[in-house]
Amino acid sequence: NAGVMQNPRHLVRRRGQEARLRCSPMKGHSHVYWYRQLPEEGLKFMVYLQKENIIDESGMPKERFSAEFPKEGPSILRIQQVVRGDSAAYFCASSPDVLSEEQYFGPGTRLTVT
Amino acid sequence: GDSVTQMEGPVTLSEEAFLTINCTYTATGYPSLFWYVQYPGEGLQLLLKATKADDKGSNKGFEATYRKETTSFHLEKGSVQVSDSAVYFCALKVGTGGFKTIFGAGTRLFVKA
């Protein structure tokens, strides 16, 4: 039973380019969460999605960042016109249902903006 | 708002030493509390959890007790191993509903042979 998968594991972008981060939740999980981890800091919640719906995006920057979780395919976190401050590790987690206590994390995507 | 405060690291111990990592929380409701562990280059893994006051979570020799009176959830292990070297995150989630989990800043543990 595969765990949460994220790709790419490492992504390098120049300032102004777009970054697309993908997350495939565990089989049977329909709830996805995105977190950002800056160097030497904890995880900060960004967005919570269910299939085709954004439930809570209170942690998402208002500009340049967007997320989706389509009916088919992985969840996508998209960062437009990246800046150096976007360099971080981005983690995706999934859970099977609304009552689940535990979230299962992917290995993360490390974004470096040059 | 809800928040988690944990002791700053890094914590450096010799093998077989006793480990305590302090964690306190602030929450408006009745949170569930968690410890997650992150090994180098990997994502977070749930280490243990407790869902109500006085519950003790335990796993792989680690323990933590949900103390409502002191709003704490300190992580302990009687005898650490080199393989325990990692970053440990205390976290809380209020209520059910699949909403966001609030994480502490993490405590890095180094265990020397």
Side-chain angles (χ1 to χ4, degrees):
Chain A
N1 186 15
V4 177
M5 298 172 64
Q6 291 187 249
N7 68 80
R9 292 292 306 274
H10 300 274
L11 182 61
V12 179
R13 285 287 177 265
R14 291 200 183 97
R15 278 179 296 170
Q17 291 185 319
E18 179 180 285
R20 279 185 178 238
L21 288 62
R22 294 175 185 77
C23 169
S24 296
M26 286 182 71
K27 188 176 180 180
H29 287 194
S30 58
H31 299 247
V32 166
Y33 313 80
W34 285 94
Y35 295 86
R36 176 164 61 178
Q37 184 180 34
L38 295 171
E40 303 303 318
E41 292 188 16
L43 274 71
K44 302 294 186 201
F45 168 81
M46 298 182 75
V47 62
Y48 162 43
L49 309 104
Q50 295 178 21
K51 285 281 187 181
E52 300 183 279
N53 285 304
I54 297 175
I55 307 302
D56 181 350
E57 57 181 346
S58 58
M60 286 271 275
K62 293 290 185 281
E63 298 178 352
R64 302 188 297 109
F65 285 72
S66 62
E68 62 177 13
F69 189 18
K71 187 176 180 181
E72 301 290 339
S75 176
I76 306 287
L77 179 67
R78 183 179 174 208
I79 311 172
Q80 296 178 292
Q81 300 173 359
V82 295
V83 300
R84 288 232 172 95
D86 296 333
S87 295
Y90 291 83
F91 289 94
C92 167
S94 72
S95 64
D97 55 50
V98 70
L99 297 178
S100 176
E101 289 287 344
E102 182 177 352
Q103 296 177 9
Y104 297 80
F105 281 81
T109 294
R110 277 155 182 82
L111 172 65
T112 301
V113 179
T114 61
Chain B
D2 301 332
S3 65
V4 175
T5 303
Q6 59 182 108
M7 64 188 286
E8 288 189 26
V11 173
T12 303
L13 296 173
S14 297
E15 211 166 18
E16 299 184 4
F18 185 85
L19 168 71
T20 300
I21 300 177
N22 290 337
C23 171
T24 57
Y25 66 89
T26 302
T28 52
Y30 300 94
S32 294
L33 301 174
F34 307 84
W35 277 100
Y36 283 83
V37 59
Q38 184 181 29
Y39 298 103
E42 298 183 12
L44 277 68
Q45 303 172 26
L46 180 66
L47 181 59
L48 54 84
K49 67 179 182 182
T51 57
K52 61 183 187 296
D54 300 323
D55 270 1
K56 177 186 281 188
S58 61
N59 185 25
K60 299 181 182 179
F62 291 89
E63 294 183 341
T65 301
Y66 189 139
R67 300 284 187 203
K68 188 178 177 184
E69 63 276 13
T70 55
T71 61
S72 65
F73 193 55
H74 304 321
L75 182 69
E76 297 181 336
K77 187 175 185 182
S79 176
V80 293
Q81 306 300 312
V82 173
S83 58
D84 294 326
S85 297
V87 181
Y88 293 83
F89 292 93
C90 185
L92 70 81
K93 187 161 70 172
V94 178
T96 57
F99 295 111
K100 58 184 179 244
T101 299
I102 308 295
F103 288 87
T107 302
R108 186 177 296 277
L109 171 66
F110 292 106
V111 181
K112 302 179 297 184

